[in-house]
Amino acid sequence: MNYEITGHTGLTALLGSPVSHSISPQMHNRAFRELGLDYVYLAFDVTPHQLKEAFLGLKSIGIRGFNLTMPLKTAILPYLDGLTPAARLAGAVNTVYREGDSFIGHTTDGIGYMQSVSDAGYEILGQKMTLLGAGGAATAICVQAALDGVAAIDVFKRKNSTFSSASAFFQKVAEETGCTIRLFDLADTRRLAESIGESAILTNATSVGMAPDLEQSVLPDASLLHPDLIVSDIIYNPRQTRLLSQAAEMGCRTLNGLYMLLFQGAAAFRCWTGQKMPVELIRECYFTETDKKRKDHTP
Ligand code: NAP
């Protein structure tokens, strides 16, 4: 493979803090090389305080597009010229692409999640989802699942200071998508049992179970699971969370967050290049289940 950075090379990037251990530069640069695309992808450590200056600088030198990770997914909103329907509904952006001179914000986290579910061979459209958590990833998943045609989504989160704003958010998504979305207290075990009993998929989008808290599960009782259920945890470090172990013991089909990460990147790649990322190659290079070397994958 002959690849040189030239005077024509288009810049794409990841902005966030921290970003140094992100897998995205390898993923995108390998895909650019494979397809012979004259682009490069670099990671820049940018705090919210530095974002305006960084964005205006990158814009003035003609950046082709970029990803945003924590803590910049909402901080970028005031600087953009437009939002896709999914980004507008989610109120967050992880991908920015250009349309002429305009910079458009998009979110590919939900797309990546839904793609990972279908890639695993699981059919959930027209069925019910129980979604645990209401943070950035959960809201993106909820929006995309509703847009794609999941019939109903029950969201469970802790009843804390963000509960009423979360409730207003999900009500707005329900009104705009026509999907039935209800928000419940995560401590309401009776409702949780009822919802899981009616669902095709249970999705953990909280951070409970993420390394180093390997023994924690967000589920109060494994007997709430049933063998017809798909149990999905968007955590990818570790690959097998306590929740996924509980699910496997109950005979459920399971899915971790690794390929959500791959497919959200593939969707961003398509926005910038108009081309399909060679996902099988990238999966083989950077996303094998047995890859023990990587301790963390910031998108
Ligand atoms: P976030 O915005 O901080 O949201 C975290 C969520 O977890 C909130 O809903 C929070 O509940 C809930 N939570 C935290 N501790 C809890 C506890 N002890 N009990 C119950 N709920 C708890 O984070 P995020 O960006 O959505 O990320 C969430 C997880 O998804 C992380 O583990 C992250 O690594 C993973 N993720 C994976 C991918 C991927 O590509 N696979 C992409 C993005 C994120 P409250 O609302 O009550 O505070």
Side-chain angles (χ1 to χ4, degrees):
M1 227 175 312
N2 184 18
Y3 181 75
E4 279 184 310
I5 292 176
T6 69
H8 300 283
T9 303
L11 176 64
T12 59
L14 171 65
L15 313 186
S17 187
V19 290
S20 58
H21 52 282
S22 168
I23 194 175
S24 291
Q26 285 129 295
M27 168 167 57
H28 288 291
N29 287 316
R30 182 66 205 264
F32 292 148
R33 285 204 306 277
E34 186 63 22
L35 298 183
L37 295 170
D38 194 6
Y39 286 84
V40 67
Y41 184 105
L42 300 176
F44 296 109
D45 199 302
V46 175
T47 64
H49 179 64
Q50 298 167 313
L51 179 61
K52 182 177 181 185
E53 226 175 317
F55 173 64
L56 293 177
L58 290 167
K59 186 176 170 178
S60 71
I61 59 168
I63 191 164
R64 306 292 176 87
F66 54 93
N67 283 135
L68 295 139
T69 188
M70 280 170 61
L72 304 180
K73 289 183 179 184
T74 53
I76 190 69
L77 293 172
Y79 309 117
L80 299 174
D81 301 304
L83 296 175
T84 61
R88 185 181 53 76
L89 268 175
V93 162
N94 80 335
T95 299
V96 174
Y97 62 93
R98 284 178 62 166
E99 264 178 14
D101 288 336
S102 298
F103 282 78
I104 308 298
H106 186 33
T107 175
T108 65
D109 282 336
I111 293 170
Y113 177 74
M114 293 301 286
Q115 179 96 41
S116 74
V117 172
S118 65
D119 173 74
Y122 302 150
E123 178 53 69
I124 60 167
L125 302 189
Q127 304 192 66
K128 181 165 178 169
M129 168 187 273
T130 299
L131 178 60
L132 308 180
T139 51
I141 289 170
C142 180
V143 165
Q144 196 62 42
L147 288 172
D148 285 359
V150 167
I153 305 168
D154 284 348
V155 184
F156 289 81
K157 81 169 237 75
R158 293 179 292 191
K159 200 152 196 178
N160 53 16
S161 61
T162 54
F163 196 87
S164 60
S165 59
S167 179
F169 170 82
F170 289 116
Q171 195 178 330
K172 186 186 80 170
V173 178
E175 280 163 13
E176 294 206 21
T177 60
C179 180
T180 303
I181 304 174
R182 304 182 303 174
L183 178 66
F184 297 111
D185 182 358
L186 184 57
D188 187 343
T189 315
R190 188 186 59 78
R191 283 276 194 197
L192 185 59
E194 200 178 276
S195 179
I196 291 174
E198 295 166 350
S199 290
I201 188 163
L202 169 69
T203 303
N204 177 38
T206 74
S207 42
V208 181
M210 193 166 76
D213 298 320
L214 302 180
E215 288 311 311
Q216 286 192 22
S217 168
V218 68
L219 201 67
D221 180 357
S223 70
L224 300 182
L225 303 173
H226 55 85
D228 292 335
L229 191 69
I230 300 158
V231 179
S232 146
D233 199 325
I234 69 163
I235 291 171
Y236 43 79
N237 178 25
R239 304 285 197 262
Q240 177 93 349
T241 58
R242 174 91 188 97
L243 173 66
L244 292 186
S245 300
Q246 290 172 312
E249 280 163 25
M250 294 296 286
C252 305
R253 290 162 292 163
T254 61
L255 178 66
N256 68 23
L258 200 58
Y259 296 142
M260 172 178 170
L261 188 64
L262 171 63
F263 288 113
Q264 62 79 30
F269 186 90
R270 188 146 206 167
C271 289
W272 302 324
T273 66
Q275 297 207 30
K276 199 170 174 302
M277 179 184 269
V279 285
E280 290 317 319
L281 173 82
I282 301 301
R283 192 193 311 252
E284 207 177 292
C285 293
Y286 305 110
F287 289 85
T288 54
E289 293 284 345
T290 52
D291 182 357
K292 300 272 192 253
K293 291 189 299 259
R294 293 175 197 291
K295 291 269 184 271
D296 196 352
H297 292 315
T298 297

